[in-house]
Amino acid sequence: MGIEHMKHLKFFVFLCILTFTVSCGQQKKYIQYKIKKGETITEIAKKLDMSARDLYRLNPDVNKKPKENTVIIIPNKKMKDLKNGTTKNENITEKDTNKNEHKKDENTVNTEVITDKEVKRSKLIEELEKKYKIHEVKKGDTFYSLTRFYDVSKEDLIALNPELSNGLKLQQIIKIKPLEEVFDEEDYLYEDKIKEDISIKAALMLPFRASELDTLTQTQIFGNSKLANIVTEFYMGAEIAIDSLRKQGINIQLDVFDTGANSTKIRNIVAEKDLDDNDVIIGPLYSEEATFLAGKVKTPIIFPFYSKKQSTFTSKRIVKTSPNKELFREKLLKYIKENFHDGNIILVGDGKATSNFNTNQIQRELATHDSINSITVITPQKGYIKRSKFTDVLKPNMKNLVVLTTDDNVIVASAINSLISLPEDVTVQVFTFDKVSAFNKIDNFKLAKIGFTYVSDEFVREDSFKSKNFYNKYLQKNGVLPSYYATRGFDVTYDVLIRLASGKSLKSTFDDGYSYRVESKFDYTSKMFKTSENKGLFIVKYNPDLTLTRVD
């Protein structure tokens, strides 16, 4: 029996169980609902005052934007028509009661009259939702909780809602941010929850190499050892995360282990310590050590950085916090297919195996897209890309998209220099799926001129509450602003521990949504017998003023 057949069979059995439940006198628990034209699952969930995630769980085979007249299962709650201010039941597929009978059948959704005040409120919400992400203030909401969850500053909220200068009021409708700054994902955001009186025991395993470095001065250590910088800064960021979580009432016991320069030391640690006494182990830093450790413990192991060898991980104990590189290409392809309509695409490679593979993959995927009618592949001659190669294929007065699949310094530089010198009636936007060092060597003004857009596993809004809060704490404690490695230490540590603070197992929280920290997105797979991996990526674009914007 095929997987797809089994999937539909399970869903059929699920529907049968629900139908049987309704017929046996529990009609008020679930009913069927027929989708109207243009309705989305998110909109329906809002009307039902439930999360879209829970509605998807009731309807596992339904897409975000289902077709008109698709029948779904919903809790038997009153759905208010926001336009009319009344509860509507014409889309409920339960049998109507006999029109000649005055007695209501218990399966019929009740109608009720909505007051003028509720009608005005519904209309206000409808108008605001056309332009803004909105929030209804609930019991327990504070400026701190709102700024953390929505990643906005208190100043931003008051600027959009001047009345907030007098404080938050229960059931108040407030604007969070303009829709152009909102991505269609907030129903899947992980909500930080802390179980009362929760305690967490964690181990941090990093190659501090204390025994080797204790005879050197601080200048010698940090002047000559890139590894020492990475490890120390990661640890300092993790310290800020732990301090912050402790202030929120979480009891954290942390044991720090120096794994040294090779695997001998970690073997001694495993032999001498009961590491399964921990709820989580953050580290070790090396892939071979992570693989060894996974065979010795039953505790989740958080692999903190990207490694080329992480694709070989098979243990269900390991959690990869950095996305695999093939996901970068998939992210870019998805973005192009969803946003690029009716235009001209040029793929620029270097003729080498890796570039050829990526070029062929992209070409094959995009060729199936109905709105893309022209795909051209350009490769270098004599080691660089001539300007004429582009002028021969780029078209004036239409969208031209150039995708660079090479990381060769000379080819990247020559391609970009050619593209910034094109005639005024020829416009291009340049993409790549991984901003490697070759692009870091290009002047940012040149990148901005071509709307350079790339896939990244990091993005930070300098003015966001999360980033400002972290930067201030780090600066106050350490006297310097945090590096990438310090921020990584904070993000990885904070995300793992706040998920465990819910009282649930770490893997089970992966099903509860993805999270954003200071500059990382954590969107984990949760396969019972496989390695969990982070799929969290951003699409980032250079603006003319050299700022960066997240476009997906």
Side-chain angles (χ1 to χ4, degrees):
M1 186 179 290
I3 294 174
E4 195 65 26
H5 180 73
M6 284 294 295
K7 180 180 177 183
H8 290 297
L9 180 60
K10 287 179 182 178
F11 185 58
F12 174 75
V13 171
F14 176 71
L15 286 178
C16 290
I17 292 170
L18 285 176
T19 304
F20 178 76
T21 303
V22 169
S23 66
C24 290
Q26 297 184 24
Q27 295 92 338
K28 292 184 179 180
K29 190 170 183 181
Y30 296 105
I31 54 177
Q32 296 177 346
Y33 178 77
K34 190 183 292 182
I35 303 288
K36 297 177 184 176
K37 185 177 181 180
E39 263 188 328
T40 66
I41 290 294
T42 299
E43 291 169 349
I44 295 169
K46 283 181 180 178
K47 291 179 183 179
L48 289 167
D49 194 24
M50 65 187 296
S51 72
R53 190 186 308 118
D54 289 338
L55 192 52
Y56 279 122
R57 285 172 180 166
L58 282 177
N59 302 275
D61 285 1
V62 177
N63 298 322
K64 286 185 180 181
K65 296 180 180 179
K67 295 180 180 179
E68 184 181 3
N69 295 326
T70 298
V71 176
I72 63 172
I73 301 299
I74 64 172
N76 191 359
K77 296 181 179 181
K78 298 170 186 177
M79 288 185 61
K80 295 179 181 178
D81 184 329
L82 294 181
K83 293 184 178 179
N84 300 322
T86 57
T87 301
K88 305 292 284 184
N89 69 334
E90 64 267 22
N91 275 38
I92 305 300
T93 61
E94 302 264 355
K95 291 183 178 179
D96 293 335
T97 55
N98 191 321
K99 293 182 180 179
N100 297 322
E101 294 181 4
H102 295 289
K103 187 179 179 180
K104 294 181 181 178
D105 186 277
E106 62 181 345
N107 288 342
T108 304
V109 177
N110 294 328
T111 60
E112 63 180 45
V113 177
I114 308 299
T115 65
D116 287 343
K117 185 176 180 181
E118 288 173 312
V119 171
K120 289 179 181 178
R121 180 180 174 84
S122 293
K123 288 182 177 179
L124 171 64
I125 291 172
E126 184 180 18
E127 288 302 311
L128 287 175
E129 284 184 325
K130 292 177 182 178
K131 297 181 180 179
Y132 300 96
K133 169 71 179 177
I134 64 172
H135 176 87
E136 181 179 359
V137 178
K138 298 179 178 65
K139 185 178 179 180
D141 281 346
T142 63
F143 278 118
Y144 181 71
S145 66
L146 292 176
T147 54
R148 282 183 64 202
F149 185 73
Y150 289 112
D151 195 19
V152 296
S153 67
K154 182 178 179 180
E155 293 75 17
D156 289 339
L157 289 178
I158 294 176
L160 283 176
N161 310 272
E163 65 275 15
L164 292 184
S165 57
N166 297 319
L168 297 169
K169 296 179 181 178
L170 200 62
Q171 294 187 323
Q172 187 178 21
I173 303 298
I174 61 175
K175 293 173 279 190
I176 299 297
K177 59 180 78 169
L179 282 183
E180 60 264 24
E181 298 179 17
V182 176
F183 299 92
D184 184 25
E185 58 187 12
E186 273 151 358
D187 287 317
Y188 310 99
L189 280 175
Y190 179 78
E191 185 176 355
D192 295 344
K193 295 178 181 178
I194 299 174
K195 185 179 178 181
E196 191 174 353
D197 297 325
I198 191 72
S199 294
I200 300 172
K201 191 171 188 301
L204 182 62
M205 307 184 79
L206 295 172
F208 292 99
R209 296 168 59 192
S211 59
E212 299 173 49
L213 302 175
D214 62 359
T215 59
L216 303 179
T217 66
Q218 185 176 5
T219 302
Q220 288 173 318
I221 293 172
F222 296 110
N224 299 315
S225 175
K226 182 179 179 181
L227 177 64
N229 278 310
I230 291 172
V231 171
T232 304
E233 289 167 8
F234 183 93
Y235 175 72
M236 290 162 72
E239 273 191 317
I240 299 294
I242 292 167
D243 288 345
S244 176
L245 292 167
R246 282 172 174 162
K247 287 176 182 176
Q248 295 178 60
I250 304 172
N251 180 24
I252 300 174
Q253 180 184 337
L254 180 71
D255 292 325
V256 181
F257 296 95
D258 181 359
T259 57
N262 53 56
S263 298
T264 303
K265 201 161 187 179
I266 198 169
R267 292 175 186 275
N268 293 338
I269 294 170
V270 169
E272 296 170 4
K273 304 291 182 180
D274 179 13
L275 294 176
D276 278 329
D277 189 35
N278 293 284
D279 297 299
V280 68
I281 300 170
I282 300 173
L285 202 63
Y286 301 117
S287 56
E288 59 271 19
E289 291 182 344
T291 300
F292 167 77
L293 189 62
K296 300 295 181 180
V297 301
K298 297 178 181 179
T299 305
I301 299 166
I302 310 303
F303 194 65
F305 292 109
Y306 173 76
S307 167
K308 291 180 180 179
K309 296 180 181 179
Q310 70 179 34
S311 59
T312 64
F313 291 159
T314 57
S315 174
K316 64 181 180 180
R317 311 289 179 206
I318 299 177
V319 177
K320 295 187 288 190
T321 63
S322 293
N324 287 335
K325 289 305 179 183
E326 62 266 21
L327 295 175
F328 284 63
R329 185 182 65 245
E330 292 173 12
K331 177 79 171 178
L332 181 61
L333 276 169
K334 183 174 181 289
Y335 177 78
I336 291 173
K337 289 198 286 187
E338 289 179 353
N339 295 276
F340 192 74
H341 307 289
D342 189 26
N344 182 32
I345 292 185
I346 296 92
L347 307 179
V348 179
D350 57 24
K352 297 177 183 177
T354 301
S355 178
N356 287 344
F357 176 80
N358 287 320
T359 298
N360 292 336
Q361 288 288 100
I362 294 172
Q363 188 175 20
R364 185 161 44 248
E365 286 279 340
L366 295 182
T368 63
H369 199 298
D370 294 338
S371 65
I372 298 175
N373 49 41
S374 176
I375 302 175
T376 304
V377 177
I378 293 178
T379 52
Q381 286 182 333
K382 297 181 180 179
Y384 68 99
I385 307 289
K386 293 182 179 179
R387 183 174 179 272
S388 59
K389 285 243 182 185
F390 288 110
T391 55
D392 288 343
V393 295
L394 292 173
K395 300 176 182 179
N397 303 315
M398 77 175 300
K399 292 181 180 178
N400 292 287
L401 186 152
V402 175
V403 181
L404 297 174
T405 67
T406 175
D407 59 2
D408 183 276
N409 293 337
V410 175
I411 296 172
V412 167
S414 63
I416 290 176
N417 285 333
S418 296
L419 290 168
I420 63 173
S421 62
L422 294 170
E424 290 186 3
D425 61 346
V426 178
T427 59
V428 298
Q429 185 175 0
V430 177
F431 289 78
T432 191
F433 45 82
D434 194 5
K435 187 173 179 280
V436 292
S437 60
F439 297 96
N440 293 328
K441 296 174 182 178
I442 305 296
D443 189 289
N444 285 339
F445 286 100
K446 293 181 179 180
L447 297 178
K449 189 173 181 179
I450 54 177
F452 182 62
T453 305
Y454 61 98
V455 185
S456 177
D457 60 356
E458 57 179 290
F459 176 75
V460 58
R461 276 187 52 200
E462 304 288 348
D463 62 340
S464 73
F465 171 80
K466 289 175 184 174
S467 59
K468 288 195 291 187
N469 190 40
F470 170 63
Y471 291 162
N472 290 338
K473 287 180 178 178
Y474 193 93
L475 180 62
Q476 185 177 5
K477 184 170 183 176
N478 300 302
V480 293
L481 287 171
S483 66
Y484 162 77
Y485 300 107
T487 308
R488 184 71 179 167
F490 176 88
D491 281 356
V492 169
T493 305
Y494 190 98
D495 189 74
V496 167
L497 296 183
I498 194 68
R499 286 175 180 270
L500 286 171
S502 67
K504 300 174 68 174
S505 69
L506 183 61
K507 275 204 171 185
S508 67
T509 68
F510 296 162
D511 293 325
D512 294 335
Y514 42 72
S515 54
Y516 293 100
R517 301 307 170 190
V518 175
E519 65 179 31
S520 301
K521 176 182 178 182
F522 296 105
D523 180 14
Y524 290 109
T525 59
S526 180
K527 297 178 180 178
M528 188 175 294
F529 300 111
K530 294 187 177 181
T531 301
S532 295
E533 61 178 335
N534 180 20
K535 301 180 296 178
L537 291 168
F538 307 98
I539 303 282
V540 182
K541 179 184 177 183
Y542 271 77
N543 299 315
D545 62 357
L546 301 185
T547 59
L548 298 175
T549 297
R550 178 190 162 203
V551 296
D552 185 71

